[in-house]
């Protein structure tokens, strides 16, 4: 799968995506991520990419043309024939869920547009964007962190990125429930004992205990998810 991130801060994205599991997966070729600097596509001699909003108001708005020219360069780059599915990261978008990430992992190619300042000229969004995604009901200074969250969420479901499918299939949100608690050695720490069933080696009892814990945890922490789960059963 190929991701292209259009941003004013490519170094910020590259720094995160070069580390840890995603960094190793990129080196191994399980996914391709390219970070593009929108500023490289402005025709302005001072390399400007923003201007004040029509109608007045505070802040600056990112101009349509540098973004569009960057998008065209991305579409023309490489061998892939298909147009990328285009996402604008914005607090006005639909909130990201594990379910949406599972659908997006089917796309061969994603284009992620990171906004800044007071937003992006609406006309370029009309022209190139297929969907807007928010990572939650709060406002960040730009779309870079949300784009990185989206890449990470999707990339870890790609074949080869994690050692086994069960690494993500058993986790919080995948099944609609939160994950059961985990323990490792020592068996007693600061006077707290590991639940006895986990020391028995009895696989069926352990699976039942974990499922009960998942249900209980979801009911306590996320009653909204718990109700959805019961309704879908
Ligand atoms: N840009 C600023 N805040 C955001 C959010 N919550 N989600 C996605 N993009 C954003």
């Amino acid at each position: 799968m190929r991701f292209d991130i259009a941003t004013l801060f490519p170094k910020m994205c590259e720094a995160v995506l070069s580390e840890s599991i995603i960094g190793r997966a990129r080196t191994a070729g399980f996914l391709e991520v390219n970070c593009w600097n929108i500023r490289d596509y402005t025709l302005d001699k001072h390399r400007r990419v923003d201007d004040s909003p029509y109608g007045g108001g505070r802040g600056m708005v990112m101009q349509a043309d540098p973004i569009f020219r960057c998008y065209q360069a991305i579409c023309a780059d490489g061998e892939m024939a298909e147009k990328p599915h285009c996402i604008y990261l914005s607090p006005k978008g639909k909130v990201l869920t594990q379910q949406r990430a599972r659908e997006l992992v089917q796309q061969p190619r994603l284009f992620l547009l990171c906004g800044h300042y007071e937003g992006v000229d609406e006309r370029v969004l009309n022209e190139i964007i297929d969907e807007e995604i928010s990572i939650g009901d709060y406002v960040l200074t730009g779309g870079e962190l949300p784009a990185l969250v989206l890449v990470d969420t999707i990339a870890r479901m790609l074949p080869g990125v994690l050692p086994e499918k069960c690494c993500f299939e058993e986790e919080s949100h995948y099944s609609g429930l939160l994950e059961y608690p985990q323990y490792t050695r020592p068996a007693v720490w600061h006077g707290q004992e590991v639940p006895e069933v986990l020391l028995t080696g009895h696989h069926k009892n352990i699976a039942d205990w974990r499922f009960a814990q998942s249900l209980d945890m979801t009911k306590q922490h996320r009653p909204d998810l718990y109700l959805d789960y019961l309704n879908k059963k």
Side-chain angles (χ1 to χ4, degrees), residues 88-93 115 133-144 146-147:
Y88 173 49
L89 285 309
S90 152
K92 291 192 262 182
I133 289 184
S134 161
I135 61 159
D137 291 336
Y138 41 81
V139 182
L140 299 160
T141 54
E144 284 72 18

Side-chain angles (χ1 to χ4, degrees), residues 1-228:
M1 180 168 182
R2 171 173 169 165
F3 297 85
D4 291 286
I5 305 177
T7 167
L8 292 173
F9 301 97
K11 279 195 274 182
M12 173 178 171
C13 299
E14 197 52 62
V16 173
L17 296 168
S18 306
E19 294 286 339
S20 184
I21 294 174
I22 306 298
R24 283 197 297 275
R26 286 173 75 192
T27 308
F30 293 122
L31 73 151
E32 179 182 343
V33 190
N34 307 298
C35 304
W36 302 73
N37 191 345
I38 296 168
R39 208 176 286 283
D40 292 341
Y41 296 89
T42 176
L43 298 178
D44 182 82
K45 63 175 184 294
H46 304 294
R47 287 183 40 96
R48 275 188 68 173
V49 288
D50 61 348
D51 211 329
S52 47
Y54 275 120
R58 72 199 146 76
M60 302 295 266
V61 177
M62 284 172 70
Q63 291 171 303
D65 210 51
I67 294 172
F68 186 67
R69 290 162 49 78
C70 179
Y71 164 77
Q72 283 184 311
I74 289 170
C75 289
D77 181 71
E79 315 277 85
M80 286 173 95
E82 58 270 88
K83 175 195 163 298
H85 180 72
C86 296
I87 298 172
Y88 173 49
L89 285 309
S90 152
K92 291 192 262 182
K94 238 178 149 178
V95 176
L96 179 64
T97 59
Q98 191 68 38
Q99 178 53 36
R100 186 68 195 124
R102 274 162 83 170
E103 290 157 9
L104 289 171
V105 79
Q106 310 299 334
Q107 294 282 344
R109 198 174 172 186
L110 290 181
F111 166 84
L112 308 181
L113 173 62
C114 306
H116 249 269
Y117 313 120
E118 290 310 315
V120 165
D121 190 314
E122 193 70 19
R123 293 167 296 183
V124 73
L125 301 180
N126 294 339
E127 193 129 330
I128 66 176
I129 294 300
D130 297 306
E131 69 175 308
E132 293 192 26
I133 289 184
S134 161
I135 61 159
D137 291 336
Y138 41 81
V139 182
L140 299 160
T141 54
E144 284 72 18
L145 292 172
L148 294 169
V149 166
L150 185 59
V151 172
D152 192 287
T153 310
I154 294 172
R156 62 198 293 287
M157 290 188 278
L158 288 171
V161 174
L162 294 183
E164 287 176 81
K165 248 183 150 192
C166 65
C167 295
F168 58 82
E169 285 183 347
E170 279 180 17
E171 276 180 335
S172 292
H173 295 292
Y174 199 86
S175 62
L177 293 174
L178 302 184
E179 198 192 12
Y180 48 81
Q182 297 274 23
Y183 302 86
T184 186
R185 269 179 270 277
V188 183
W189 181 81
H190 285 206
Q192 297 186 67
E193 289 178 11
V194 169
E196 214 173 305
V197 63
L198 300 179
L199 308 175
T200 61
H202 191 298
H203 299 303
K204 167 86 172 63
N205 287 354
I206 292 173
D208 290 348
W209 179 87
R210 285 179 164 167
F211 180 61
Q213 289 284 317
S214 271
L215 277 177
D216 199 43
M217 189 86 80
T218 312
K219 195 172 170 188
Q220 302 293 332
H221 293 197
R222 292 292 303 272
D224 55 324
L225 295 181
Y226 183 70
L227 280 181
D228 282 353

